[in-house]
Amino acid sequence: DTGVSQNPRHKITKRGQNVTFRCDPISEHNRLYWYRQTLGQGPEFLTYFQNEAQLEKSRLLSDRFSAERPKGSFSTLEIQRTEQGDSAMYLCASSLDGFGANVLTFGAGSRLTVL
Amino acid sequence: AQTVTQSQPEMSVQEAETVTLSCTYDTSENNYYLFWYKQPPSRQMILVIRQEAYKQQNATENRFSVNFQKAAKSFSLKISDSQLGDTAMYFCAFIYNYGQNFVFGPGTRLSVLP
């Protein structure tokens, strides 16, 4: 297992286009998180899955954003009708279940640039 | 609201010296974990050290140690014998609500100078 994998690493798109990011977590991790990180800031929570169930969504996740985790394995984060304010690094992280096993393992991130 | 504050946006330290990064947090929860994560330039975030809130003993991990003051809601990171490879953004974070929500601070950019 090579850790958390995210693709693409960098996406440049024009305003109004749709983009999709994929995250492959560590295989035995049943929790998967999406965070957004803007330059010089800490990660901001977007959403969280326990297996295939999306258990929580931040108010940052407008209705242009949707995340899925079919079959509890990989996850996708789609942004529709992108805006320049969506430009950021989108981080995926995974962890084991249980309060005591909650160390997040992060992927390298997918950087979105909206022109 | 659950918040994390890191009051030092940037710090620098000479190689081999010791540096302390500060972090304060606000929560009404009793059960939580605290973390320091490191994000080197253009590289992914990795865990530096973790502290369980119910433990009074401060966590240590090689050159990294914490000073956890629960009553003051303070969680500082001490890096001893700083190395050039310690240059990174350092984020303080905590998780509460039985492992569902991680809250990160804004980060401290640490530069280790030769």
Side-chain angles (χ1 to χ4, degrees):
Chain A
D1 196 341
T2 56
V4 178
S5 175
Q6 290 189 247
N7 289 289
R9 293 291 309 278
H10 196 180
K11 178 74 175 179
I12 301 173
T13 190
K14 292 182 179 178
R15 189 176 55 184
Q17 298 294 303
N18 299 344
V19 297
T20 299
F21 300 115
R22 175 178 170 129
C23 172
D24 288 89
I26 292 174
S27 56
E28 60 265 30
H29 286 183
N30 53 3
R31 294 188 173 193
L32 187 148
Y33 297 79
W34 285 99
Y35 285 84
R36 183 176 72 183
Q37 186 179 23
T38 52
L39 197 63
Q41 298 298 314
E44 296 174 294
F45 172 77
L46 291 179
T47 191
Y48 149 67
F49 290 86
Q50 173 103 4
N51 300 312
E52 67 274 12
Q54 188 173 19
L55 296 187
E56 187 163 345
K57 292 193 293 186
S58 163
R59 64 180 181 277
L60 293 173
L61 215 66
S62 75
D63 54 10
R64 297 185 297 105
F65 288 71
S66 62
E68 294 182 342
R69 194 184 182 194
K71 304 178 184 177
S73 55
F74 71 92
S75 176
T76 58
L77 176 69
E78 181 183 16
I79 309 173
Q80 296 181 325
R81 305 181 303 281
T82 53
E83 302 172 356
Q84 287 185 326
D86 297 331
S87 295
M89 178 77 84
Y90 290 85
L91 298 173
C92 177
S94 67
S95 76
L96 292 168
D97 200 358
F99 195 47
N102 49 32
V103 174
L104 288 176
T105 301
F106 282 88
S110 292
R111 182 173 297 283
L112 174 65
T113 302
V114 181
L115 302 176
Chain B
Q2 325 281 342
T3 59
V4 177
T5 301
Q6 294 178 250
S7 58
Q8 305 149 314
E10 292 190 33
M11 294 190 72
S12 62
V13 63
Q14 292 293 134
E15 197 175 4
E17 299 284 300
T18 295
V19 64
T20 299
L21 310 183
S22 63
C23 170
T24 58
Y25 59 94
D26 188 20
T27 181
S28 55
E29 302 287 333
N30 282 321
N31 292 322
Y32 54 91
Y33 281 74
L34 294 156
F35 305 84
W36 280 96
Y37 277 88
K38 166 186 176 181
Q39 189 175 40
S42 301
R43 295 180 62 187
Q44 66 200 80
M45 192 128 41
I46 57 174
L47 177 70
V48 175
I49 198 165
R50 177 174 79 155
Q51 172 82 41
E52 294 90 334
Y54 63 85
K55 285 189 178 179
Q56 291 186 336
Q57 185 174 7
N58 289 323
T60 62
E61 196 71 43
N62 300 317
R63 298 182 295 106
F64 300 88
S65 61
V66 298
N67 183 2
F68 174 46
Q69 303 289 329
K70 189 172 184 179
K73 295 180 180 174
S74 170
F75 184 61
S76 62
L77 174 70
K78 185 171 82 171
I79 306 174
S80 304
D81 185 26
S82 297
Q83 301 176 358
L84 296 178
D86 296 332
T87 293
M89 282 289 286
Y90 286 82
F91 295 99
C92 178
F94 77 94
I95 183 172
Y96 66 101
N97 194 21
Y98 296 95
Q100 291 193 13
N101 295 310
F102 283 83
V103 180
F104 285 83
T108 295
R109 183 178 304 278
L110 176 67
S111 298
V112 180
L113 307 174

